[in-house]
Amino acid sequence: MTGYFLDRMTATWSQWRCVACAKGLLALVVTASLWSQFNVSQFHFAFARWPQGEYPALATRFATWDSAHYLRLSQEGYEGGSLSCAFYPLWPAMIHLGTFFLGGQPLLVALVLTNAFSLAACGFFYGLVVKRCGSEVGRNALILLLAFPGALFFSFPYTESLYLTLVLVWFWGLEREAYFLPTVVGFLLPLARAVGVFVVVPLAWHLYERRKPWKYWLLLLAPLLGYATYFGLMYVWTGNAFEGFEAQKHYPYSPSIANMFHWRAFSQAFLNVGSLDGMMDSALDRGFFVLFLALLPLIYRLNKTWFWYTLPTGLVPALTSYFMSYRRYIMVCFPVFIVLAQLLARTKSRWMFWYYVVLMAALQAWAVKQFVNFNWAG
């Protein structure tokens, strides 16, 4: 794995120029946004704050919304009745370990880790696309990934960087039939996000497509054991294996699998468009969901294993949370950006590609300004 990653690093610098440009522009936007008005009322209303106290600090601007929950969990752990129990344990555990071994402030460690994971994810993503679709599509897909509004969460203490890195490593091992990696990573994915358990679907398709003997089907146990471990840990930590589900009931729309079967409520939520980027009525989130659905046939034709990964990864959050934060959840549906790059290439007009990139980057810049001032950004 290390050799492959280093090979991709030295094969071309175009990917790293894209990443450096994206990170540099984001840093400029963050710096400029620090002069904007901070939403103090939202800070006091939030379920978690960082640092914990009555007044916001400079660190607060880099740890708004879910970031504060992860940082709090990394230092205090899980306890019954806490609304932070709605968040999965792998990311706060990594922040805790990083703080323990590297020293320093948890927020600084979290920022270093999330950006390191985002660099790794970009490297693996580019390598995966180049192998399948060529260097031009690889470069364009990477640009589209980094320009997307939800890409801001690759630079702040959220799970997106970690999860996408794990997923791409999982696929790297799967395509090379190095099944030790899909086993280990498959176990970890449900500890990072609930949707991680659904990697059993593309894994089953992969094994069926390659006509693997029955013993290989035991690999399906890894994600299931990972999810079972999550419930076991919650029981040990809080006394209730389903404490995370109880905490989720206090959040908007009470995200749950049961919501997937309430089609009337889903339809009403889809039509509930009242703002461009609001928490519960965002036109952007619903528009990106429509884009996701439109691109699914192209993903199916490109790679069926990728399709069976993308389908539940993109569909379940929309059905369970009714589009809340969808611009963030779609970030780990990496095949979306590959087929989008191919689709834009068919226009044979480069300005169309860059028009889309500039539009998405502008939306991301606006989202960054919102995020660091404790306004909703996804």
Side-chain angles (χ1 to χ4, degrees), residues 1 5 132 136 149 164 197 201 221-222 229 273 293 295 320 354:
M1 181 177 68
F5 186 46
R132 170 71 61 169
E136 183 178 357
L164 183 58
V197 72
V201 180
L221 294 176
T229 300
V273 179
L293 293 178
L295 294 178
T320 56
W354 287 112

Side-chain angles (χ1 to χ4, degrees), residues 323-335:
F323 310 106
M324 182 177 169
S325 300
Y326 194 75
R327 76 202 84 163
R328 176 162 57 88
Y329 292 129
I330 200 175
M331 293 310 304
V332 297
C333 295
F334 69 90

Side-chain angles (χ1 to χ4, degrees), residues 142-157:
L142 180 60
I143 292 172
L144 293 173
L145 176 75
L146 294 172
F148 202 78
L152 77 94
F153 296 102
F154 290 151
S155 300
F156 293 99

Side-chain angles (χ1 to χ4, degrees), residues 35-348:
W35 299 98
S36 302
Q37 185 175 2
F38 186 84
N39 194 335
V40 178
S41 61
Q42 195 68 262
F43 170 78
H44 290 296
F45 178 75
F47 292 154
R49 299 188 290 269
W50 188 269
Q52 297 187 51
E54 293 299 320
Y55 301 100
L58 178 61
T60 306
R61 291 177 177 266
F62 297 89
T64 59
W65 300 106
D66 294 4
S67 300
H69 287 281
Y70 289 121
L71 289 166
R72 176 181 176 184
L73 288 168
S74 74
Q75 302 306 299
E76 300 178 4
Y78 290 80
E79 60 178 82
S82 171
L83 297 186
S84 295
C85 290
F87 299 88
Y88 280 65
L90 184 60
W91 178 228
M94 298 201 73
I95 298 173
H96 178 80
L97 289 174
T99 305
F100 178 79
F101 287 109
L102 301 177
Q105 297 297 319
L107 175 59
L108 179 59
V109 170
L111 288 171
V112 170
L113 286 176
T114 196
N115 281 278
F117 279 123
S118 70
L119 291 175
C122 288
F124 279 110
F125 176 72
Y126 182 80
L128 192 69
V129 182
V130 168
K131 183 176 183 296
R132 170 71 61 169
C133 307
S135 59
E136 183 178 357
V137 175
R139 181 181 64 254
N140 291 342
L142 180 60
I143 292 172
L144 293 173
L145 176 75
L146 294 172
F148 202 78
L152 77 94
F153 296 102
F154 290 151
S155 300
F156 293 99
Y158 275 61
T159 60
E160 272 62 37
S161 292
L162 169 63
Y163 190 84
L164 183 58
T165 301
L166 290 175
V167 163
L168 291 170
V169 170
W170 188 84
F171 273 102
W172 185 90
L174 202 65
E175 292 200 356
R176 287 155 183 79
E177 299 190 357
Y179 289 119
F180 172 76
L181 283 176
T183 302
V184 175
V185 176
F187 175 83
L188 293 175
L189 284 170
L191 294 170
R193 296 170 73 159
V195 75
V197 72
F198 290 108
V199 293
V200 297
V201 180
L203 178 56
W205 175 264
H206 168 86
L207 296 173
Y208 167 76
E209 190 175 45
R210 301 202 178 188
R211 301 297 190 268
K212 290 295 181 182
W214 67 267
K215 63 179 181 180
Y216 286 94
W217 288 78
L218 294 175
L219 295 171
L220 295 173
L221 294 176
L224 300 177
L225 289 173
Y227 206 30
T229 300
Y230 161 74
F231 289 113
L233 290 173
M234 293 302 293
Y235 178 79
V236 171
W237 290 332
T238 70
N240 179 8
F242 301 99
E243 187 66 33
F245 293 173
E246 292 297 321
Q248 288 175 5
K249 294 178 181 179
H250 297 275
Y251 288 84
Y253 290 128
S254 300
S256 69
I257 293 296
N259 286 352
M260 297 179 62
F261 306 100
H262 297 163
W263 290 103
R264 183 176 180 181
F266 175 80
S267 301
Q268 291 174 344
F270 181 77
L271 297 174
N272 178 33
V273 179
S275 67
L276 177 65
D277 61 345
M279 181 182 293
M280 302 172 67
D281 59 358
S282 167
L284 281 179
D285 289 326
R286 286 151 181 80
F288 291 140
F289 176 69
V290 172
L291 177 65
F292 162 79
L293 293 178
L295 294 178
L296 280 176
L298 297 178
I299 298 172
Y300 184 81
R301 287 199 290 269
L302 177 64
N303 187 305
K304 293 181 176 59
T305 305
W306 291 359
F307 170 82
W308 288 115
Y309 162 76
T310 307
L311 182 64
T313 303
L315 195 59
V316 170
L319 295 176
T320 56
S321 300
Y322 295 155
F323 310 106
M324 182 177 169
S325 300
Y326 194 75
R327 76 202 84 163
R328 176 162 57 88
Y329 292 129
I330 200 175
M331 293 310 304
V332 297
C333 295
F334 69 90
V336 165
F337 302 97
I338 301 172
V339 296
L340 188 58
Q342 292 179 322
L343 193 62
L344 289 172
R346 292 178 189 173
T347 64
K348 297 182 180 179

